Amino acid sequence: MSKLIRAFIVLVGLVSMVAGAAEKEFVRIGVLFETGTSEHVQSRSFMYFWRGYAEFVNRNGGGPWPLEVISYPVDPDPASLRETLAELGGDSLDAVAVAPGLQLADDIRASLQGLDVPVFVSPDTDWQDMPQPPSFFSVRQPSDPAIARAAEVMVPMYPKVTLVVDGMIYVNRIVGVLKRSAGLGGDQVDIEVVEDQRAALDAAVAAVHRAGGGMVVLAVGATRAEVLLRPICDAAAGVWVVALSRSVTAHVINAALHSCGGLVVPTTLPSFNDRTLPVVRRYLAFVNGSQVVAGFDSFEVFITGELLRQALARSAQRQPKALLRELNSGRAYDLGGLVLRYGPGQWSGSRFEDVLFFNRQGRVVR
C-alpha cells in the first residue's frame, strides 16, 4: 500500500510540474487610482484604459508574457492608505502605473520608491518638481512649455480668459504661464477662475458670458469636458477654447468644433489621430478593438504599455531590477514615430511638444 501511495504522490508531482511549465507567467502591473476626490472619475478611466490595453495585448499575442492589471484604489484616509501600500508591496509586481493628477503624499512616494520596480507617472502633479528617484519614469514632459506656446499666440488676441479647473492643483501654475506668455502686458490679462467641482455648470457659462467671449482654458477631465464644452461655447459667439491634453478626446474635439470659434490643444505627445505615425496606427487598432475612447490619456497609457513591453523584451532577465537597469541604460526606444530615452537624471522619455489649432472644419491650422 505504501508503494502505491508513494507512486501516487510522485504522479501528482509530475502532473503539477507539467501544468506549471505549461502555464504562462504574467507581467503584473499595479495601477494606483484615486477614490473620493475630485480626480476619481479620471483616475478610474485610467485604470480602465490599462485593463483594456492588457486585454488587447493578450488577445493579439503581443509579447512573450501576457499582462495582468491589478487595481489599487488610493483612499485619502491614512489607515486605508497604509493598508493599500502594504498590499502593493506584497504582490510581486513588475511595474506600477500612477493615474494622472494623483496627489501622492510623501509617504506614498517613498513607499513606491521602496518597491524597487519601475513606476510610471504622469508629470502634471504637485510633486513633479521634487527630485525623482531612478525608479520613476514618464513618457512625456510636463505640459507647461506647450501651454506657454499656445498662450503666446492666443493671449495677445484674447486678454480676457476664463480658466475652468476641476481642482486648485493647476490654478497657480496655469495663471503664471498665461501671464508670463503675455509679455509686457501680462499684468493686463483678465483671468477669472471657476473651480468646476465647487460650482454648477452655470458658473462657467456665466463667466464666459461676462467676459464677452475671449478665451476659455479648460483643465478638467475629459468626461467633464464633454459636458461643459457646448454650453460654454454657446455662451458667447466665437469663443476659443484652449484645452489641456488630458481634457481632450475625439468626442471633445467634435463637441468643441460644433459651436466654438476654434480649439487649441497644447500637447506633449503627438496627436492621437495622426495616422502618419506607426505608433498611432497601432493605437487606433487598440481603440477600435476595445471600448476605450480615443484621447490623449488613453494614448499615454498605450505608449507606456508599448515601452514596457519593449523594455521587457530587451531585459537580460525577467526581473523588475533588470527592467530598471534596462530603462536607465540611456538606450532609445523607437515606438514608431515617437522615440523615448531614459538615463541618469532623465525622468521624462520624450521632449516632444506641439500646439494643435483646430478650426471650425476640424482641420489643423497654424
Side-chain angles (χ1 to χ4, degrees):
M1 179 66 70
S2 60
K3 288 184 179 180
L4 287 174
I5 293 174
R6 282 199 299 272
F8 177 74
I9 292 172
V10 170
L11 179 61
V12 170
L14 288 172
V15 170
S16 299
M17 287 176 63
V18 171
E23 183 181 354
K24 285 187 175 181
E25 187 179 7
F26 280 82
V27 171
R28 310 186 83 199
I29 304 170
V31 178
L32 271 69
F33 65 99
E34 279 187 331
T35 60
T37 71
S38 63
E39 296 283 353
H40 74 278
V41 174
Q42 195 83 351
S43 284
R44 287 184 184 276
S45 296
F46 179 81
M47 180 191 65
Y48 176 71
F49 297 153
W50 268 108
R51 284 183 171 167
Y53 176 76
E55 290 171 4
F56 172 77
V57 169
N58 295 344
R59 187 170 60 246
N60 292 281
W65 299 289
L67 303 182
E68 179 183 12
V69 172
I70 305 171
S71 61
Y72 295 91
V74 176
D75 192 305
D77 176 69
S80 174
L81 193 57
R82 286 193 294 271
E83 184 178 334
T84 298
L85 292 172
E87 182 184 357
L88 186 78
D91 280 345
S92 301
L93 299 173
D94 294 281
V96 173
V98 181
L102 188 65
Q103 299 178 51
L104 296 182
D106 287 344
D107 56 343
I108 305 178
R109 182 174 174 274
S111 296
L112 291 176
Q113 184 178 355
L115 288 176
D116 209 16
V117 301
V119 179
F120 296 99
V121 298
S122 175
D124 292 324
T125 58
D126 267 351
W127 49 282
Q128 68 181 34
D129 297 325
M130 298 179 185
Q132 297 303 329
S135 58
F136 278 46
F137 304 92
S138 173
V139 301
R140 60 183 182 85
Q141 64 176 332
S143 59
D144 291 17
I147 296 172
R149 287 180 59 191
E152 285 170 3
V153 176
M154 301 301 296
V155 170
M157 294 187 291
Y158 302 102
K160 288 190 175 181
V161 180
T162 306
L163 173 57
V164 183
V165 296
D166 55 9
M168 298 307 287
I169 181 175
Y170 293 105
V171 171
N172 291 337
R173 175 172 284 132
I174 295 176
V175 168
V177 168
L178 291 173
K179 291 194 171 184
R180 287 193 301 274
S181 299
L184 296 176
D187 291 338
Q188 304 304 315
V189 178
D190 183 5
I191 302 175
E192 180 172 354
V193 177
V194 177
E195 190 176 359
D196 184 51
Q197 293 297 323
R198 295 184 181 178
L201 170 63
D202 292 344
V205 172
V208 173
H209 187 73
R210 283 194 299 273
M215 180 172 66
V216 175
V217 177
L218 204 57
V220 299
T223 303
R224 186 61 179 161
E226 293 180 33
V227 175
L228 288 170
L229 265 170
R230 290 195 180 186
I232 283 176
C233 292
D234 289 342
V239 64
W240 275 80
V241 174
V242 177
L244 273 64
S245 62
R246 73 188 186 96
S247 307
V248 177
T249 63
H251 296 327
V252 167
I253 292 174
N254 291 334
L257 299 179
H258 172 73
S259 55
C260 296
L263 177 67
V264 183
V265 183
T267 175
T268 49
L269 290 175
S271 174
F272 62 81
N273 56 8
D274 182 359
R275 293 177 181 272
T276 65
L277 303 179
V279 67
V280 172
R281 292 198 293 271
R282 292 200 307 275
Y283 164 71
L284 292 176
F286 153 57
V287 169
N288 293 333
S290 68
Q291 299 300 311
V292 171
V293 175
F296 283 100
D297 269 5
S298 58
F299 188 33
E300 183 173 353
V301 168
F302 180 83
I303 290 171
T304 305
E306 295 290 281
L307 165 69
L308 178 59
R309 288 170 53 211
Q310 195 172 127
L312 278 165
R314 288 184 181 182
S315 296
Q317 297 171 299
R318 165 66 202 291
Q319 293 177 352
K321 287 186 178 181
L323 182 57
L324 278 172
R325 286 194 297 271
E326 167 58 35
L327 285 167
N328 277 307
S329 67
R331 294 200 287 176
Y333 297 87
D334 187 349
L335 302 184
L338 178 66
V339 177
L340 305 178
R341 187 190 302 272
Y342 302 91
Q346 189 165 346
W347 177 51
S348 298
S350 170
R351 292 292 183 267
F352 180 93
E353 64 178 56
D354 199 3
V355 181
L356 307 177
F357 293 83
F358 294 89
N359 64 11
R360 289 290 296 276
Q361 287 70 47
R363 295 197 212 38
V364 177
V365 296
R366 292 295 180 193

